[in-house]
Amino acid sequence: MTAPVRDAAVVTLPPLIPWPRRILKHPRLMHYNRLVALVWAVNLAALGLGLADGDGLSARSLSYAALANLTLGVVVRQQYVINALFRIATSAPVTWPLRIRWTLAKVYHFGGLHVGGATAGTAWFLALLPVLVIDGAPAATVAVSIALSALLVLLVATALPPFRSRHHDRFELIHRFGGWGVLLLFWAQTALVLRERGGSPLAAPELWALALVTASVALPWLRLRRVPVAIERPSNHVVLARFDHGVTPFAGSSTTISRRPLFEWHSFANVPSPGRSGFRLTISRAGDWTGSFIDDRPDRVWVKGITTAGVANIETLFTRVVYVATGSGIGPCLPHLLAREVPSLLVWATRTPRLTYGDALVDEILAVQPEARVWDTTERGKPDMVALAYAAYRDFGAEAVICISNKSLTWRVVHGLERRGIPAYGAIWDS
């Protein structure tokens, strides 16, 4: 059925790269965190320049700094912006030095700009409050600013990993409704400030920044619609949801779906079939929502937004890649395997693939990946995925490894390979 999979125990991994380079591969120094640090460094430099000025920081300069950072935090999450970032980063030819392409492929760490902008913007806004009081701002402006500050602090606090990982559904609700509340309060504060300042509102930069942020937030919701879905359930663990409502997304993009659009959304990789309209989503049982979806098999769901590029789109930066997937991680890999835009080799560890995912899907995979290395965990137990990934990388002569799995295993594979000088990529769970 598949190419033989060498026992991971007999694979000898290459040595670790020298420590000065290796330390940069530590998870705490990944590009996501570097971007957070970069945003803060720019803001601290601006603060230093402001303090060096004899006049100090005015309420207007503080509000501009807060709004600029919060605008960055929101806009960088907009789907068109994300797709543009991927398009720019992946436009580099494969003839460029590997070290440059290795860095460009980290484009999916753009969430660091979101976090940096949101946290720095909140800090600037907290600094603005006492200045407003000292300057004798109207009571209404101060009251709105206090409410806005409290809401911003709540959003930042609940977005921190300890809360977000344990209460993700609550985090999403707070982030969604709290974010809308922040936007409304910003408009109220801006209206009060502009009325007091006088002059033409169209000349105020904060008005245009708020308009940009509002459009960025509203655009995905303007695409909201309820569409039919045909669901095939090859097993109690997974369903294949097929959509054909006039949209055929590009390979490697994702779509968010919901059964209650105001309360929860879940993103899945689109699997378009070459030469056929529509697309599929592979949804495996991984919690209450997915479990209910598999058991109920609804005939209509809500979709919104613009199909958005995912991590595996960075494949075009390399001459040959290895895809490493576990379980339903095959879903995000499948569109790239079917498109065959870049020579690739699949390593897939999963339990009883044909019983779980059905003969049709497995046969479709093997038709485009006859040399795929499939490890049945029911028969053979859990493998050393770092060793399997390296063996495939070495044997295939690949330039990079893309891993689609759960959080802990993805990070284990990515950092295990990068510390040995091998470009490796995988989701960073920052949404």
Side-chain angles (χ1 to χ4, degrees), residues 33-89:
N33 293 334
R34 295 183 205 178
L35 288 174
V36 176
L38 174 63
V39 172
W40 270 91
V42 171
N43 278 276
L44 290 174
L47 175 62
L49 291 173
L51 293 176
D53 188 342
D55 296 332
L57 294 170
S58 67
R60 182 177 294 192
S61 62
L62 287 169
S63 65
Y64 283 173
L67 190 55
N69 278 277
L70 293 171
T71 300
L72 169 66
V74 173
V75 172
V76 78
R77 285 288 197 189
Q78 212 284 327
Q79 291 97 328
Y80 283 129
V81 173
I82 295 171
N83 290 341
L85 290 174
F86 270 90
R87 193 171 298 114
I88 293 169

Side-chain angles (χ1 to χ4, degrees), residues 6 23 44 48 60 95 115 156 252 265 285 342 361 371 394:
R6 184 176 301 176
I23 196 171
L44 290 174
R60 182 177 294 192
T95 54
V115 172
V156 170
W265 287 89
R285 192 180 297 271
V342 175
L361 184 66
E371 302 300 317
R394 177 197 60 200

Side-chain angles (χ1 to χ4, degrees), residues 31 59 84 123 160 223 233 303 313 318 330 334 356 380 387:
H31 290 73
L160 295 174
R223 303 289 186 89
R233 187 171 66 183
V303 298
N313 281 271
F318 305 101
I330 189 63
L334 185 54
T356 304
R380 308 187 64 180

Side-chain angles (χ1 to χ4, degrees), residues 401-415:
V401 174
I402 299 172
C403 181
I404 309 294
S405 182
N406 57 60
K407 185 174 183 178
S408 61
L409 196 146
T410 297
W411 284 17
R412 191 185 315 149
V413 170
V414 169
H415 298 302

Side-chain angles (χ1 to χ4, degrees), residues 305-391:
I306 303 99
T307 52
T308 313
V311 57
N313 281 271
I314 55 95
E315 67 166 6
T316 56
L317 284 166
F318 305 101
T319 56
R320 298 164 77 85
V321 299
V322 167
Y323 279 100
V324 175
T326 61
S328 58
I330 189 63
C333 300
L334 185 54
H336 298 282
L337 301 177
L338 295 176
R340 292 193 269 196
E341 189 172 355
V342 175
S344 60
L345 175 65
L346 171 66
V347 177
W348 185 25
T350 185
R351 63 181 183 183
T352 52
R354 290 189 177 276
L355 287 177
T356 304
Y357 296 92
D359 288 333
L361 184 66
V362 173
D363 289 340
E364 184 178 18
I365 294 169
L366 295 180
V368 293
Q369 281 281 310
E371 302 300 317
R373 302 183 177 189
V374 180
W375 183 291
D376 188 336
T377 57
T378 302
E379 292 182 0
R380 308 187 64 180
K382 293 184 178 180
D384 181 341
M385 293 303 294
V386 177
L388 286 183
Y390 171 69

Side-chain angles (χ1 to χ4, degrees), residues 133-147:
V133 174
I134 293 171
D135 289 352
T141 301
V142 174
V144 170
S145 299
I146 291 173

Side-chain angles (χ1 to χ4, degrees), residues 34-394:
R34 295 183 205 178
L35 288 174
V36 176
L38 174 63
V39 172
W40 270 91
V42 171
N43 278 276
L44 290 174
L47 175 62
L49 291 173
L51 293 176
D53 188 342
D55 296 332
L57 294 170
S58 67
R60 182 177 294 192
S61 62
L62 287 169
S63 65
Y64 283 173
L67 190 55
N69 278 277
L70 293 171
T71 300
L72 169 66
V74 173
V75 172
V76 78
R77 285 288 197 189
Q78 212 284 327
Q79 291 97 328
Y80 283 129
V81 173
I82 295 171
N83 290 341
L85 290 174
F86 270 90
R87 193 171 298 114
I88 293 169
T90 59
S91 63
V94 294
T95 54
W96 282 18
L98 179 60
R99 189 172 297 275
I100 296 176
R101 291 180 284 130
W102 189 341
T103 301
L104 287 173
K106 299 292 184 180
V107 60
Y108 60 94
H109 287 252
F110 63 84
L113 297 175
H114 167 74
V115 172
T119 53
T122 299
W124 282 111
F125 205 84
L126 291 175
L128 172 64
L129 271 180
V131 175
L132 289 174
V133 174
I134 293 171
D135 289 352
T141 301
V142 174
V144 170
S145 299
I146 291 173
L148 185 48
S149 298
L151 200 49
L152 285 170
V153 170
L154 174 66
L155 291 178
V156 170
T158 55
L160 295 174
F163 183 90
R164 186 176 62 190
S165 60
R166 293 183 186 137
H167 311 284
H168 194 268
D169 290 344
R170 292 182 184 177
F171 153 74
E172 284 197 348
L173 287 174
I174 293 170
H175 225 60
R176 181 174 302 117
F177 291 106
W180 294 347
V182 163
L183 193 55
L184 290 174
L185 287 171
F186 255 123
W187 276 109
Q189 185 201 50
T190 301
L192 291 169
V193 170
L194 293 182
R195 184 177 64 181
E196 181 185 3
R197 186 188 303 168
S200 173
L202 297 179
E206 55 264 52
L207 184 72
W208 296 104
L210 274 176
L212 176 62
V213 170
T214 303
S216 179
V217 172
L219 185 56
W221 291 93
L222 296 177
R223 303 289 186 89
L224 178 68
R225 53 180 168 160
R226 196 162 179 255
V227 300
V229 55
I231 297 178
E232 176 189 350
R233 187 171 66 183
S235 72
N236 286 329
H237 176 70
V238 66
V239 295
L240 304 176
R242 183 176 293 279
F243 295 81
D244 193 1
H245 53 273
V247 174
T248 303
F250 61 92
S253 61
S254 62
T255 290
T256 55
I257 65 173
S258 176
R259 300 174 73 178
R260 299 188 304 160
L262 285 179
F263 298 100
E264 58 183 342
W265 287 89
H266 298 264
S267 180
F268 300 94
N270 299 318
V271 185
S273 299
R276 182 174 180 180
S277 64
F279 60 99
R280 292 166 289 169
L281 304 179
T282 304
I283 302 173
S284 63
R285 192 180 297 271
D288 293 341
W289 190 90
T290 52
S292 174
F293 192 94
I294 291 170
D295 294 334
D296 298 344
R297 286 187 282 182
D299 57 6
R300 299 183 78 85
V301 296
W302 292 91
V303 298
K304 74 174 175 68
I306 303 99
T307 52
T308 313
V311 57
N313 281 271
I314 55 95
E315 67 166 6
T316 56
L317 284 166
F318 305 101
T319 56
R320 298 164 77 85
V321 299
V322 167
Y323 279 100
V324 175
T326 61
S328 58
I330 189 63
C333 300
L334 185 54
H336 298 282
L337 301 177
L338 295 176
R340 292 193 269 196
E341 189 172 355
V342 175
S344 60
L345 175 65
L346 171 66
V347 177
W348 185 25
T350 185
R351 63 181 183 183
T352 52
R354 290 189 177 276
L355 287 177
T356 304
Y357 296 92
D359 288 333
L361 184 66
V362 173
D363 289 340
E364 184 178 18
I365 294 169
L366 295 180
V368 293
Q369 281 281 310
E371 302 300 317
R373 302 183 177 189
V374 180
W375 183 291
D376 188 336
T377 57
T378 302
E379 292 182 0
R380 308 187 64 180
K382 293 184 178 180
D384 181 341
M385 293 303 294
V386 177
L388 286 183
Y390 171 69
Y393 165 86
R394 177 197 60 200

